[in-house]
Amino acid sequence: MELSRRTFTALAGTAALGLALAGSGGAATGAHGPRGVPTGPPPPPPSADGRRHRIGHDRYSLLVDGRRLVLWSGELHPFRLPSPSLWRDVLQKLRAAGCNAVGVPVPWNYHSPAPGTYDFTGVRDLDLFLTMAAEERLYVILRPGPYLGSADLDAGGLPGWLTATGGRSRIADPEYLRHVDEWLSAVDRIAVRHLFTAGGGTVLLYRFEDGFEVFADEPAGRAYLTRLYDRARADRIDVPLFHADGRLGRQAPGMLAGAAGGAADPWGGATSGGKGYAQVRRTHDAARERRERLASLADGVTVHNVRVAFGGTSWGWLPAPGVYTSYDHGAAIDEGRRPTPKLAALQQLGHLLRTVPDLARLDPAKEVRAEDDRLKVRHLANPDTGAQVYVLHNDSAEPVGSMLPGTGIDVPVTVGAHDAKLLTTGLELGRRKLAYTTAQPMLNMTVGRQDIALFTGRAGETAQVALDCDTEPVTSRLDDEPGWSYDRGRLNIVVPLGVGGLSRVLIEGGDSETPLMLLFADDATALHLWPYETPSGPLLAYGPALLRSVTLRGSTAHLVGDHVGGMGLEVWAPRGITAVTWNGRPVRTRVSRAGSLVMEELMPDVPEVRLPALRGWRRQVENPEAEAGFDDSAWPVAGLTSSHSSTPVPGGGPVLFADDYGFHHGDVWYRGRFEDTRGVASVSLSYSTGTQGLLMAWLDGRPLGTHRMPVPDADTARRGTWTATASFDVPEKRRERGPHVLSVLVRPMQHDGDERAQGTHKAARGLVAVGFGGRSRDVEWRIQGAAAPDRVRGPLNNGGLYGEREGWHLPGFDDREWRTADFPREVRRQGVTWCRTGFRLNVPADVDASVGLTIDDDPERAYRVQIFLNGWNMGQYINDVGPQHTFVLPNGILRTRGTNTLALAVLSDGTTPSGPRDVRLTLLGAVRGGVPVEAVDSPGRRPGG
């Protein structure tokens, strides 16, 4: 979602809020902040330093302690990575990839299983996450909702219990606001300890609410936003506040709070053409990232938040109804935490914005037209330094090369098909002046006793860089690829990209006594270049798969990161550094002509990661609830006659909606007792679910059949609530005197969002009405869903299957009396069958391996699987819908050096063999390095418990 300058502040009445704060010390300076702040170095990387800080802005950028800051944020959803150790892994990857901030949504439903109850422990430890972000030197954009519709969450992040309360959501309704006040204050009590203004942490911005439909221009929307603003201020949140539908704030910078880093893919894969997130990543590739990010920069946007940089997994019943378990999103860092090629675009721009302060203050400049009109040019200039910036867009389907008259760039510039490029002229490169470049700058820094400038482009392109030099310098090519010439005060350097890795050109003497090292890299090579800020100055490393941290002690630089086999290590270090260690081990190095320390040998290979075959399966059929003699006396009676749902209660009732009886997530069972089926030819069951919901029915333990919602297409993929009536014939031999029991299992999927504040999240889930063809019957209904929420795994982990209520998914459950099972399964049965096995992993301690569970089968088979790893519900597989087949098993929940329990709850409709055919572990990637991983608490069921 793009926010223009007018949307950067929130509204209270007619007063512009958000960045306009009063006070001193740690208070923000607001729109009336320091006038005419000149171009200069950005503030140092943030930390919880205990000092007071000032946050302001002008029309160009944020101002932190009087310095210009271009905020380059990647959004991370901690709730989609239920292993706190791995939060640090992704935070380090974001920082290394050029981000100086992280966007963090905080879902209400994830933390609140019941009214007034807020859980911030274990995998929900917000305090721990904010502490980690500060330790990793990242600013935080905190967004606690209360509505988070853009995050593709159940009910847009509103808690399930809210569906059974009075009041209208997302407006100034007193009952709703009472709950909102409690929620925001629960978050704010944690957030206030981490505010950057007070030095307790790095929370820099605070965004409330989400979505387009709460309009600040309407009285109800204005009153609601005012209340949220007042709540935050009352809770001592003194950093800038903003909202998507805010009104013009004076001199506010451009903001992109939700830059699309990919796209959500619905059930069936309408977005991906059924090919899943690999296809989404191909369509939302690095070229698209460059086009969109550079377009926003040209529009004056200096506050960027890419949603999402890492998507993760919508485990349990967390996701919005339209999307499946994986939330890979086609993001720059994939669901298995592996950097992808599209990370290059974010990395190059992030480090450019961090190390070239000219880009923090740009004005539109004289129009420029390329000779080839397929190339569109945006011209900007820095009013302080005179540096010129040209953003080039090629929307055609082929590369375009063109001259750029009036720019001072004397050679043709090529931009790839559907790609973009940022070029500069008049830029200071350390102590020297850049005349022009046909390659995009990535960083400009001083390391030790020399200046370093890095230029990037696509493999196969030729980079040309021209420097203004009154006196001819000594120019040395340190690799075979570059060529150079000097003529009449200009040094021209030409380098083919993508040939031989990194190309180095050393420039000495001439107009400056400080050497300048020019580096040239294609995208793949640039993903192995890692700048890092140390207290003694910048450091630059080349070679590893990732640089996580650098510590300087004495004359040694201690580097920690990831690597794969066949890679070397080259380090440009601050003055006085003569030795290097890598992951705690000394590295033999030599000093190169480039002024770097070069590892004399290649890094060792990654040890082989062996994954066991999954054998020793045991199985047990369930759904005793379908049997006539099942004891349901402890189940709640479904006898309500009114509801807060947005779905009307059918005339005469009763209310059968699951939420009204406290069952908000997962499967729900109904049992209806009546006396006589004589004259009853059919049963009609009306029900309401999210996408891909289904219903199964039994009469006196005999299957009547299954009904399921259709697979969405491109036109219906965003529909959040689906309704249908399933009609089943009653066999002649079952039309007899009673008593009889009608058993119904509904998989309701998730709740719709509430984008238009019309209460759509309160649409019914479960049965709506029941009718009998031929004769009406009075029915006494009982209902049962999930048991009390797991204290560790939370309210979104479990549903209402019998096996879940009995702990069949938990480690330690005694399944020795279950029958052995072999795959593929060929049995046709309506209902639920559980399969369990254990396996042991022994991944080397210094290897970070990402492991997934893959299920494959004939797509004609109609069944679905809930996957439980060590008791954690890792998602839902629907065999005949897809497109997901591989489910990431996050380390921490997955014991990579220990024993694991895998349980599958297979729900089949009886029309086809129930499967599965092939279930296997899949290695998604492995590197030497990673972060220390602590086991996530996974309580099990003790034998006999």
Side-chain angles (χ1 to χ4, degrees), residues 329-361:
H329 212 257
I333 301 172
D334 73 14
E335 187 183 4
R337 299 177 292 108
R338 300 170 301 171
T340 69
K342 70 182 289 183
L343 188 65
L346 298 177
Q347 178 200 34
Q348 291 165 22
L349 283 169
H351 289 305
L352 173 66
L353 294 168
R354 186 177 60 83
T355 63
V356 178
D358 306 65
L359 300 178
R361 192 181 189 202

Side-chain angles (χ1 to χ4, degrees), residues 326-414:
S326 174
Y327 204 68
D328 178 283
H329 212 257
I333 301 172
D334 73 14
E335 187 183 4
R337 299 177 292 108
R338 300 170 301 171
T340 69
K342 70 182 289 183
L343 188 65
L346 298 177
Q347 178 200 34
Q348 291 165 22
L349 283 169
H351 289 305
L352 173 66
L353 294 168
R354 186 177 60 83
T355 63
V356 178
D358 306 65
L359 300 178
R361 192 181 189 202
L362 294 175
D363 287 319
K366 182 180 178 181
E367 182 180 7
V368 169
R369 290 182 178 270
E371 287 186 349
D372 189 322
D373 61 9
R374 291 175 297 173
L375 206 59
K376 306 303 180 185
V377 183
R378 302 281 297 277
H379 180 200
L380 306 111
N382 184 290
D384 300 326
T385 66
Q388 308 294 302
V389 174
Y390 304 93
V391 174
L392 283 57
H393 277 254
N394 174 17
D395 294 327
S396 72
E398 59 186 13
V400 173
S402 177
M403 296 295 295
L404 303 175
T407 64
I409 300 175
D410 296 337
V411 295
V413 174
T414 299

Side-chain angles (χ1 to χ4, degrees), residues 528 530 543-548 559-569 582-583 585 587 599 602-607 846-848 926-930:
H528 294 279
W530 308 106
L546 179 69
L547 179 64
R548 294 182 179 274
L559 279 60
V560 175
D562 300 350
H563 74 268
V564 296
M567 288 186 173
L569 176 65
W582 177 256
N583 289 346
R585 298 180 179 179
V587 174
M599 185 178 180
L602 296 180
M603 293 184 177
D605 288 336
V606 179
D846 63 344
V847 171
D848 180 10
V927 296
R928 268 195 160 163

Side-chain angles (χ1 to χ4, degrees), residues 760-938:
T760 49
H761 68 294
K762 291 187 175 184
R765 290 297 183 261
L767 278 182
V768 174
V770 180
F772 295 91
R775 291 180 66 180
S776 62
R777 287 289 179 265
D778 292 328
V779 183
E780 180 189 75
W781 287 100
R782 290 181 181 267
I783 182 173
Q784 179 63 55
D790 186 314
R791 66 173 182 83
V792 171
R793 300 175 181 95
L796 296 165
N797 192 73
N798 293 1
L801 294 179
Y802 181 85
E804 292 176 287
R805 304 198 307 270
E806 293 296 311
W808 292 5
H809 60 300
L810 296 174
F813 176 80
D814 187 357
D815 59 16
R816 288 175 295 180
E817 294 185 0
W818 288 17
R819 295 181 180 181
T820 60
D822 294 316
F823 296 152
R825 296 279 296 152
E826 299 292 342
V827 175
R828 296 172 183 256
R829 176 179 181 270
Q830 176 179 298
V832 184
T833 301
W834 283 75
C835 300
R836 284 172 54 98
T837 190
F839 63 92
R840 182 174 181 82
L841 296 181
N842 190 24
V843 177
D846 63 344
V847 171
D848 180 10
S850 181
V851 178
L853 182 77
T854 298
I855 304 177
D856 280 326
D857 209 337
D858 180 346
E860 297 301 316
R861 293 188 173 194
Y863 68 90
R864 56 186 67 191
V865 181
Q866 287 296 122
I867 300 166
F868 292 90
L869 175 68
N870 296 325
W872 291 83
N873 181 348
M874 298 316 305
Q876 181 174 192
Y877 168 78
I878 305 184
N879 183 67
D880 56 341
V881 176
Q884 185 175 5
H885 286 270
T886 296
F887 295 76
V888 173
L889 308 176
N891 298 346
I893 290 178
L894 178 70
R895 287 12 179 188
T896 58
R897 296 178 63 80
T899 301
N900 299 273
T901 299
L902 182 64
L904 308 179
V906 183
L907 182 61
S908 53
D909 67 9
T911 63
T912 67
S914 62
R917 180 185 68 191
D918 180 26
V919 182
R920 64 185 184 275
L921 298 175
T922 302
L923 183 64
L924 304 177
V927 296
R928 268 195 160 163
V931 297
V933 176
E934 296 183 7
V936 177
D937 189 11
S938 301

Side-chain angles (χ1 to χ4, degrees), residues 163 641-651 653-660 686-689 720-724 751-752 758-769:
T163 63
T641 57
S642 63
S643 172
H644 293 296
S645 172
S646 59
T647 302
V649 178
V655 175
L656 297 175
F657 314 152
D659 288 297
D660 287 78
S686 297
Y687 71 119
S688 177
T689 74
T721 293
W722 297 68
T723 60
H751 300 84
D752 196 359
Q758 297 297 316
T760 49
H761 68 294
K762 291 187 175 184
R765 290 297 183 261
L767 278 182
V768 174

Side-chain angles (χ1 to χ4, degrees), residues 1-12 17-19 141-149 170-171 205-218 220-226 228-229 240-249 255-258 307 755 757:
M1 175 192 314
E2 181 166 342
L3 302 183
S4 66
R5 286 178 176 147
R6 76 172 185 86
T7 65
F8 194 69
T9 53
L11 188 75
L17 304 180
L19 295 173
I141 303 173
L142 189 68
R143 55 187 195 106
Y147 186 69
L148 294 171
R170 305 191 68 207
I171 64 168
L205 299 175
Y206 182 108
R207 176 182 179 179
F208 46 77
E209 202 54 11
D210 197 4
F212 290 101
E213 283 74 28
V214 177
F215 294 105
D217 292 334
E218 297 178 358
R222 191 158 55 242
Y224 178 48
L225 297 182
T226 298
L228 299 182
Y229 173 90
L241 309 176
F242 68 98
H243 170 259
D245 287 330
R247 182 176 286 182
L248 176 64
M255 183 173 195
L256 192 61
R307 185 186 298 162
E755 285 300 307

